[in-house]
Amino acid sequence: MGQLDGKVAVITGASRGIGRFMAHEFAKEGADIVVAARSEEQPHEKLPGTIYATADEVKALGRRALAVKCDLSSDDDIENLANQAIAEFGKVDILVNNAGILFPGKLVDMVMKRIDLTWRVNVRGALLLTKLLLPNMLKAKEGTVIFISSSSADALDPGDISYALSKDALRTLAEGWSKETIDDNVRMFSLSPRAWVVTPGVTFWNDPKDLPADQIEPDEWMGWAGIWLASDAAKEYNGQHFFSDDVVKRYANRV
């Protein structure tokens, strides 16, 4: 029996990378998955993956899957995603706000259009989707929302500030919003990988050979951490930010 049997999870940015890895691990634990992302077709030879490919992988693991195209800069797309998820499954138990974009560059040189788009997708899109799915969770008196942050929020490296700002905002959003939903048993968390997760997004900007082997995190860890956060064992930590390795090693005892 899986830890997520009978649960429905919506995962954004699930056509590739961390979102796809989390979809796999959640499905292995018994969850049905709403696979949301922009990619109906592979956009670039270095960015493999589509929502349909991930949905097929979930189905191959024995779970139901719904692929929904969603651009998180579009309110209409976000509303459509929320509506389709409820129409197909009747509920949503877990929401993973994973989708995000990154424009490397120093703030002084970056056009405001890129800064605005980073904020709109990474923060506003996650906020709106949560806002639309939250009433379903509140009515059920059960639910978990996970905002995927980043170690960039701690590093504040030059050329990465716009992205880091958005990822730090997700931690504040989870902490603050959790206080409004705790009485209805809806928990909110933020979760970051501490090390590199070798995703197409990472290898698009970096040569994998240049990544230190001791600073690479296994693909499964973010999924394993998310499974623990969605469990009753995590209730007392409502609103907190976690790094995946801490969850996997200290709390979930996976390694």
Side-chain angles (χ1 to χ4, degrees), residues 148-162:
I148 302 302
S149 183
S150 169
S151 58
S152 295
D154 303 288
L156 297 178
D157 292 326
D160 200 26
I161 303 304
S162 176

Side-chain angles (χ1 to χ4, degrees), residues 15-87:
S15 60
R16 64 182 64 90
I18 287 174
R20 174 173 169 259
F21 298 151
M22 294 186 77
H24 290 171
E25 298 309 314
F26 281 25
K28 291 175 186 176
E29 289 294 335
D32 296 324
I33 310 294
V34 180
V35 179
R38 291 179 298 172
S39 298
E40 292 186 289
E41 298 180 355
Q42 183 173 318
H44 190 281
E45 62 180 9
K46 293 180 66 176
L47 294 173
T50 69
I51 53 175
Y52 305 114
T54 301
D56 286 344
E57 291 161 359
V58 168
K59 292 173 184 176
L61 291 168
R63 306 310 309 166
R64 294 172 63 193
L66 173 67
V68 182
K69 180 183 182 298
C70 182
D71 181 343
L72 284 174
S73 69
S74 165
D75 287 5
D76 288 343
D77 274 15
I78 294 170
E79 291 172 9
N80 177 62
L81 169 58
N83 290 338
Q84 283 206 47
I86 298 298

Side-chain angles (χ1 to χ4, degrees), residues 131-225:
K131 187 171 163 52
L132 293 173
L133 290 176
L134 195 55
N136 180 269
M137 295 182 180
L138 295 174
K139 183 178 179 180
K141 299 289 185 180
E142 179 72 35
T144 303
V145 180
I146 303 171
F147 296 91
I148 302 302
S149 183
S150 169
S151 58
S152 295
D154 303 288
L156 297 178
D157 292 326
D160 200 26
I161 303 304
S162 176
Y163 179 74
L165 179 66
S166 71
K167 289 301 185 177
D168 189 57
L170 293 179
R171 299 183 186 184
T172 300
L173 185 58
E175 181 180 2
W177 210 344
S178 70
K179 298 174 183 178
E180 298 181 357
T181 62
I182 188 171
D183 290 341
D184 292 296
N185 196 35
V186 175
R187 288 94 64 195
M188 299 201 184
F189 304 95
S190 53
L191 174 67
S192 303
R194 193 187 302 273
W196 291 100
V197 181
V198 183
T199 67
V202 168
T203 57
F204 188 87
W205 300 103
N206 302 273
D207 187 331
K209 296 191 297 294
D210 294 335
L211 301 177
D214 62 349
Q215 295 180 30
I216 293 176
E217 177 174 308
D219 297 346
E220 300 86 358
W221 281 15
M222 285 291 286
W224 291 353

